[in-house]
Amino acid sequence: MDKVRLAIVGCGVMGNRHLNGLIELDRAGLNKFELVSACDLILENAESLAKRAEESFNYPVKAVQRLEDLKEFEIQAIDATVVPWEHHTVAIEAMQRGWHVMLEKPMGLTIRACNMMKRTMESTKSVLSVAENFHYDPINIIGREIIKSALIGTPRLMIQNSVGGGNSVIVTPWRHYKRGGGPLLDVGVHYSYVVEYLMGEVETVYAYKRLHEPVRKNGKMSSEVKADAEDAIYAILSFKNGAIGQFTEDHAGHGQGIWQRFIYGSKGSLNLPGDRSGKPVTLTIDGKGVIKDEHLLDMLPEYRLDEITAKLFGGERICKYELPFADIDSKLLAIEYFDFAESILNNRRPSVDINQAMRSVGLIYAMLESAHLGRTVTMDEIMSEKVNAYQNEVNEMIGL
Ligand SMILES: NC(=O)c1ccc[n+]([C@@H]2O[C@H](COP(=O)([O-])OP(=O)(O)OC[C@H]3O[C@@H](n4cnc5c(N)ncnc54)[C@H](O)[C@@H]3O)[C@@H](O)[C@H]2O)c1
């Protein structure tokens, strides 16, 4: 079968990491794409990615500046790794041109932006896949299997806490601007995705928000960034299954940092490590103590990674992995590409469900909207855009 003709749109940090993922997929002999073009408003960025791709794939890859320039290459799909406030514009135009789209997280800058993309996806019948790499981490997959298998009994409490960062710039200045989504959305959308991936749907949210560090120091450039987006959220969640969640995402923490993802149930607890670390989960069951390695696998007879994940991570029933971060990153991005190709070629839904990707954006905004209004909000109010006072400012900034 012919390969799917692809362009990478957005050739900054993540565009280049995606290229690493495609190279990894190619090396594994599972690449169903032909990367024909690299597109970026900054032509040098497109040229530099195209050059790297040419060196890896040994065929010409054209660099262009605008989406419409891609027409002449008869592409069928784009991988959009542009800045978050451009996601909806790029994805909608691409789908209207008849192309399939894989889109980096957060799916959209607001729920309105997500809804617009979803409507375009439905009317054009294009595949719209959200590249939520944490979905594919084998450790999160085993974590979900443990909960599904009721090894900790009925879930009662989830703790998702991260604190750190001080007053440094997080990777790029745009991550501190509201019109860029702010760090709470840009980073937190991964966590909110995993929260519902493991625990099921959140029903209500109450939160406080803060902007602790309005002036951020950019170490490398010894310059300052004036932040207007909040950098900390402290929330209580209630899940539809009756469990309660505590969610802290504080990008301004000084001193000792925290990373915690715990789930407590009626029979035991599950402690999950940082995403993309490959460290094992700690399952502790009353009367049995800590269950590890082979013992853990014995308790999970149904647990099996899919073919590509097993191939890239070294086994279909692994419960940990030890790899350099760059390799882990590329492997997860390779799996995303594989899933995108399978969705296009077999006319099936991508593994990251579009509604779930939207809800991960919605859950971050539920916290921000709750803090803005000073009351509990429901996820239904957020997803239906009935509550959007906080997002209105962001929507105005991006002309929605
Ligand atoms: N999943 C992850 O682990 C992860 C990590 C980092 C970034 N991201 C996501 O990847 C996306 C890009 O982030 P980044 O760090 O690469 O940003 P970046 O600023 O490094 O790169 C973005 C690139 O997009 C280009 N661009 C912007 N608008 C465009 C348009 N309309 N058409 C073509 N090119 C355009 C810019 O010129 C720039 O080169 C964001 O959505 C971010 O949240 C995901």
Side-chain angles (χ1 to χ4, degrees):
M1 183 179 283
D2 284 345
K3 291 197 163 186
V4 178
R5 292 173 68 77
L6 174 80
I8 293 181
V9 181
C11 305
V13 173
M14 207 50 191
N16 277 284
R17 278 167 56 186
H18 275 228
L19 175 60
N20 297 341
L22 199 58
I23 294 169
E24 175 81 28
L25 189 63
D26 206 57
R27 229 183 267 137
L30 295 168
N31 181 13
K32 295 179 183 168
F33 290 106
E34 182 183 354
L35 180 65
V36 291
S37 179
C39 169
D40 198 296
L41 292 178
I42 303 171
L43 190 59
E44 293 95 304
N45 288 2
E47 285 170 345
S48 143
L49 190 141
K51 186 162 171 282
R52 281 191 60 220
E54 283 183 352
E55 284 163 10
S56 295
F57 300 131
N58 288 319
Y59 61 73
V61 177
K62 301 284 182 222
V64 300
Q65 231 169 338
R66 290 180 313 266
L67 216 51
E68 64 188 72
D69 302 334
L70 294 171
K71 270 189 309 193
E72 63 170 299
F73 306 121
E74 296 182 347
I75 60 157
Q76 294 154 291
I78 67 159
D79 173 20
T81 45
V82 296
V83 287
W85 59 96
E86 289 286 314
H87 281 192
H88 59 285
T89 314
V90 167
I92 288 171
E93 184 181 333
M95 288 188 278
Q96 285 170 344
R97 289 182 185 279
W99 304 331
H100 303 291
V101 176
M102 181 160 86
L103 187 59
E104 252 303 333
K105 49 49 62 176
M107 177 181 163
L109 201 64
T110 60
I111 289 301
R112 185 164 303 161
C114 292
N115 274 325
M116 286 167 61
M117 283 184 266
K118 189 179 170 193
R119 282 195 294 272
T120 311
M121 176 198 82
E122 285 164 352
S123 65
T124 58
K125 309 265 186 279
S126 289
V127 171
L128 177 59
S129 164
V130 176
E132 176 44 77
N133 40 353
F134 289 17
H135 173 94
Y136 301 99
D137 188 331
I139 307 304
N140 287 334
I141 296 172
I142 200 170
R144 181 147 96 158
E145 194 61 30
I146 289 169
I147 295 164
K148 209 174 98 198
S149 308
L151 296 186
I152 61 164
T154 307
R156 293 175 175 172
L157 169 68
M158 176 174 199
I159 297 171
Q160 167 68 56
N161 288 339
S162 59
V163 182
N167 64 354
S168 320
V169 168
I170 304 173
V171 196
T172 46
W174 62 252
R175 285 185 168 79
H176 296 285
Y177 305 142
K178 255 186 198 171
R179 67 160 291 134
L184 295 174
L185 179 66
D186 195 67
V187 180
V189 75
H190 287 300
Y191 304 149
S192 58
Y193 183 88
V194 176
V195 163
E196 287 205 335
Y197 175 82
L198 294 172
M199 293 287 288
E201 292 193 346
V202 170
E203 193 159 36
T204 67
V205 175
Y206 187 85
Y208 294 96
K209 62 181 169 66
R210 294 286 184 272
L211 170 51
H212 290 302
E213 300 285 354
V215 179
R216 293 259 166 181
K217 308 276 180 209
N218 198 337
K220 273 188 224 149
M221 295 151 82
S222 358
S223 57
E224 287 185 346
V225 171
K226 288 207 167 60
D228 68 350
E230 290 80 0
D231 51 20
I233 197 94
Y234 311 97
I236 295 291
L237 322 173
S238 75
F239 291 91
K240 283 195 177 154
N241 64 12
I244 298 298
Q246 178 197 317
F247 187 105
T248 298
E249 186 191 348
D250 184 335
H251 296 284
H254 293 264
Q256 187 177 3
I258 297 179
W259 162 266
Q260 293 176 323
R261 183 178 289 150
F262 283 97
I263 299 169
Y264 286 89
S266 54
K267 291 185 188 160
S269 67
L270 178 63
N271 176 1
L272 290 118
D275 306 277
R276 298 177 291 187
S277 70
K279 295 200 175 112
V281 300
T282 305
L283 171 67
T284 311
I285 303 181
D286 288 350
K288 293 187 176 156
V290 176
I291 317 283
K292 287 204 277 202
D293 303 323
E294 288 309 311
H295 298 295
L296 173 59
L297 292 173
D298 287 347
M299 295 180 94
L300 294 170
E302 312 262 290
Y303 166 63
R304 249 168 208 80
L305 296 171
D306 63 18
E307 211 179 327
I308 176 162
T309 312
K311 182 163 186 184
L312 294 179
F313 280 91
E316 60 174 6
R317 276 169 61 73
I318 57 164
C319 51
K320 59 188 169 196
Y321 55 83
E322 277 179 44
L323 292 164
F325 178 79
D327 291 2
I328 299 168
D329 193 48
S330 299
K331 286 175 193 295
L332 294 175
L333 299 173
I335 300 168
E336 283 176 356
Y337 270 124
F338 183 81
D339 190 79
F340 184 37
E342 289 286 298
S343 307
I344 295 169
L345 296 169
N346 301 325
N347 201 15
R348 70 148 167 83
R349 282 167 178 258
S351 297
V352 173
D353 179 73
I354 207 74
N355 295 313
Q356 206 55 54
M358 283 178 63
R359 286 183 64 89
S360 63
V361 175
L363 182 48
I364 297 295
Y365 278 115
M367 298 184 225
L368 289 164
E369 299 285 2
S370 162
H372 182 78
L373 296 175
R375 71 159 170 92
T376 301
V377 301
T378 65
M379 278 295 283
D380 287 349
E381 287 175 317
I382 302 297
M383 299 313 295
S384 61
E385 295 184 55
K386 274 193 194 120
V387 168
N388 61 5
Y390 180 93
Q391 290 168 84
N392 272 343
E393 193 189 339
V394 185
N395 280 328
E396 268 173 36
M397 286 173 175
I398 56 171
L400 294 186

